[in-house]
Amino acid sequence: MKILVVDDDKEIAQLLEIYIKNEGYDTISANDGEEALSLLRTEPDIGLMILDIMMPKMNGLEVMKEVRRDSQIPIIVLSAKTADMDKIQGLISGADDYVTKPFNPLEMMARVRSLLRRSENQVTSNKPDILDICSLKINKDSHEVKTRDDESVQLTALEFGILYLLASHPNRVFSANEIFERVWRQESIVSAKTVMVHVSHLRDKIEEATHGEKVIQTVWGVGYKIESLN
């Protein structure tokens, strides 16, 4: 498996390649968004992408929108933009994680391992694990979510993780910190806003596919839950 590094800063790309190779993974790099999309089409064994936002020809947000049309490959955004709204925009556009520059390479590798571990667990499950809740059918084994009308709901890896966590524990309320620690599989080191953004985007996708059904409920001051109606 290869990790695709997309950054027009050659020094950053080379630094990431060194650390990635030390983790035992192969790397491939692109200097701009158009080259990144070309590599994704021609290199079938790319398992994760680290993506800069500000690049020539096509920026990272545009790349993610194209990738998310038909792929759920894990994406870590690496950006010099540190404002909350920039992070939110990156997550809404399809990122699974957001790291700001300057960054700690060891922390970046921890995030890479976490995303790859979650992705591998989804692929190597021994048998299908299907949940029927509200109007959704959630297949853990194939990483698919469909409505009763057989309409697919396209989710990122983190969005699927949040949905599966809540759906597999109906009526239980999870705090933002609990969701982060269980889905990201790291100690909670970010604000609740990161989880809130992912939940908000997940809700939008579900409501669009189910014609407005409110599947995920907010328990104000506590967290989130899915109430079983079956």
Side-chain angles (χ1 to χ4, degrees):
M1 183 186 65
K2 296 176 183 176
I3 294 177
L4 173 60
V5 178
V6 189
D7 200 313
D8 60 334
D9 187 323
K10 292 184 178 180
E11 291 186 2
I12 289 178
Q14 289 171 355
L15 175 66
L16 285 170
E17 288 172 3
I18 291 171
Y19 277 86
I20 290 168
K21 288 178 180 178
N22 285 341
E23 291 289 329
Y25 299 109
D26 292 330
T27 66
I28 189 169
S29 62
N31 295 319
D32 58 64
E34 290 183 357
E35 185 180 3
L37 291 177
S38 176
L39 288 172
L40 285 170
R41 287 190 292 266
T42 58
E43 297 282 344
D45 56 345
I46 294 175
L48 180 143
M49 176 165 58
I50 300 174
L51 178 66
D52 188 22
I53 292 293
M54 301 301 294
M55 295 184 297
K57 297 184 180 180
M58 178 183 285
N59 66 42
L61 296 179
E62 294 170 328
V63 171
M64 280 192 291
K65 289 178 182 177
E66 287 296 318
V67 171
R68 288 293 179 241
R69 293 180 189 275
D70 56 13
S71 173
Q72 298 305 313
I73 181 175
I75 299 174
I76 300 177
V77 163
L78 177 60
S79 176
K81 293 187 173 184
T82 60
D84 284 346
M85 285 307 301
D86 293 318
K87 296 178 183 179
I88 290 170
Q89 184 60 51
L91 295 171
I92 288 175
S93 297
D96 295 290
D97 206 346
Y98 193 108
V99 177
T100 58
K101 299 177 182 179
F103 64 97
N104 183 326
L106 295 177
E107 180 185 350
M108 172 65 84
M109 290 304 101
R111 292 172 184 263
V112 166
R113 288 194 300 271
S114 177
L115 278 176
L116 287 176
R117 186 165 56 246
R118 180 165 58 249
S119 179
E120 289 166 0
N121 285 343
Q122 290 159 359
V123 171
T124 59
S125 178
N126 290 328
K127 59 182 179 180
D129 194 351
I130 300 174
L131 297 176
D132 278 296
I133 192 162
C134 300
S135 63
L136 298 177
K137 186 178 294 255
I138 306 165
N139 190 319
K140 183 180 180 182
D141 193 53
S142 64
H143 204 232
E144 291 180 323
V145 179
K146 291 189 175 182
T147 68
R148 287 192 180 128
D149 297 329
D150 205 37
E151 181 177 349
S152 294
V153 185
Q154 298 297 323
L155 303 179
T156 68
L158 288 177
E159 290 164 358
F160 182 89
I162 293 169
L163 178 61
Y164 190 84
L165 173 66
L166 298 179
S168 60
H169 299 83
N171 304 314
R172 176 180 169 182
V173 181
F174 286 87
S175 70
N177 283 343
E178 285 181 293
I179 292 173
F180 185 88
E181 289 174 359
R182 286 173 176 253
V183 175
W184 275 254
R185 298 188 181 183
Q186 301 175 33
E187 182 179 353
S188 182
I189 57 174
V190 299
S191 70
K193 186 176 293 186
T194 297
V195 174
M196 180 185 71
V197 169
H198 281 83
V199 170
S200 176
H201 200 37
L202 172 59
R203 276 177 168 153
D204 289 343
K205 291 181 177 181
I206 292 173
E207 289 180 18
E208 181 179 359
T210 60
H211 308 291
E213 184 175 353
K214 308 292 184 183
V215 173
I216 299 176
Q217 300 180 19
T218 298
V219 180
W220 294 108
V222 184
Y224 305 95
K225 70 174 182 177
I226 292 179
E227 197 167 286
S228 176
L229 302 177
N230 296 339

